[in-house]
Amino acid sequence: MDTSVAHNARVWNYWLGGKDNYGPDRGAGDHVRSLFPSIVDVARADRAFLRRVVHHLVGGVGLRQFLDVGTGLPTADNTHEVAQAVAPESRVVYVDNDPLVLVHAQALLTSRPPGVTDYIEADIRDPERILETARSTLDFDRPIGLILLGVLNFVLDTEEAAAVVGRLVDALPPGSHVALTHPTLEMGGEANAAAMEFWNENATPPITPRTVAEISAFVDGLEILEPGVVSCAEWRPDSAEADGGPQRVAQVGIVARKS
């Protein structure tokens, strides 16, 4: 683990107000914010999207299992916390490839019976390992919620990213749902181009934005839930967020159902 170079998981933690970061992370985070001031709004809106989606999938749809790929460092309202607050028996498998995330996940992403949490150290580019290992915790004969928040942007080749999503979705039974977020230079995110260029030259891992159309294509063949393909801040905001949160951020949010 190289703490001398800014890393996305730690910078994201910094933007969310966490303490699990180092000087280079904070320096890079501040510079990105100077180039693209709304990046903190993006981070917070992405996290709020996760909370709303999981609450809907557990309370509204009835899911009791989640595969959260690209977990990031634990903060507030982690997937299992939101799910188990509604249904204590919910089972969640977290996946990430960052060693610092692994340390914190093992310590913090825990639950009490009847709920279950597990952690897989794996790269999203290795869906076979993810699926094989997740089967020890999740029942792939019952619907699963696949969470892909802010992770596909680290798979730089769009065809490879689509293939990864396709393989994961193929393994899910009918009634499963996919929730994803992804940065875009649309939706007011044009200024993010300079921030991403700085990031790719000074931090790790490299990142790529995609168009709304490219991001939408990741869920081709699935039924997209209302309100459709929108900024993650606009996906079913609750009243408090609608009054005080950003109305739109340059982060696409999609929730889709597998028939």
Side-chain angles (χ1 to χ4, degrees):
M1 182 174 65
D2 185 359
T3 60
S4 67
V5 178
H7 189 280
N8 178 74
R10 301 191 301 263
V11 175
W12 200 258
N13 174 266
Y14 172 55
W15 286 331
L16 288 172
K19 305 297 184 183
D20 300 313
N21 48 73
Y22 300 91
D25 306 310
R26 295 188 287 273
D30 288 340
H31 190 74
V32 168
R33 183 163 49 186
S34 73
L35 297 170
F36 185 52
S38 64
I39 188 62
V40 174
D41 288 336
V42 171
R44 292 173 179 169
D46 190 90
R47 197 69 187 182
F49 172 84
L50 172 66
R51 176 182 55 78
R52 297 194 307 274
V53 168
V54 173
H55 191 275
H56 169 71
L57 294 181
V58 177
V61 177
L63 296 192
R64 296 295 182 266
Q65 304 185 102
F66 291 88
L67 179 59
D68 186 336
V69 184
T71 304
L73 285 163
T75 56
D77 293 334
N78 300 292
T79 300
H80 77 283
E81 294 171 330
V82 178
Q84 291 174 0
V86 180
E89 70 275 19
S90 297
R91 306 171 75 87
V92 178
V93 173
Y94 292 103
V95 182
D96 209 292
N97 66 343
D98 181 79
L100 183 63
V101 173
L102 173 62
V103 170
H104 285 267
Q106 290 174 328
L108 300 176
L109 301 181
T110 59
S111 60
R112 297 177 180 177
V116 175
T117 59
D118 197 7
Y119 182 90
I120 301 172
E121 186 176 11
D123 193 292
I124 190 174
R125 298 171 185 83
D126 190 0
E128 298 302 333
R129 169 173 168 75
I130 293 172
L131 293 169
E132 178 183 357
T133 311
R135 291 183 189 279
S136 64
T137 302
L138 305 179
D139 180 359
F140 277 74
D141 291 325
R142 298 172 52 236
I144 294 171
L146 174 62
I147 309 295
L148 300 169
L149 268 57
V151 64
L152 292 171
N153 38 285
F154 297 112
V155 183
L156 302 186
D157 183 85
T158 300
E159 290 187 3
E160 182 182 10
V164 166
V165 177
R167 179 64 189 97
L168 293 172
V169 171
D170 284 347
L172 302 178
S176 295
H177 287 64
V178 179
L180 68 86
T181 60
H182 196 295
T184 183
L185 298 183
E186 301 174 12
M187 297 183 171
E190 294 80 5
N192 202 13
M196 287 188 180
E197 182 179 356
F198 166 82
W199 178 269
N200 289 343
E201 292 175 353
N202 296 277
T204 188
I207 190 172
T208 187
R210 291 187 170 95
T211 66
V212 173
E214 289 173 326
I215 299 164
S216 302
F218 289 137
V219 294
D220 278 353
L222 304 181
E223 175 192 353
I224 297 177
L225 274 59
E226 294 294 338
V229 180
V230 295
S231 166
C232 66
E234 297 173 323
W235 196 90
R236 306 188 185 187
D238 58 32
S239 57
E241 292 168 339
D243 292 338
Q247 300 302 306
R248 168 172 287 204
V249 295
Q251 183 94 330
V252 176
I254 307 174
V255 182
R257 180 182 185 274
K258 181 177 180 180
S259 300

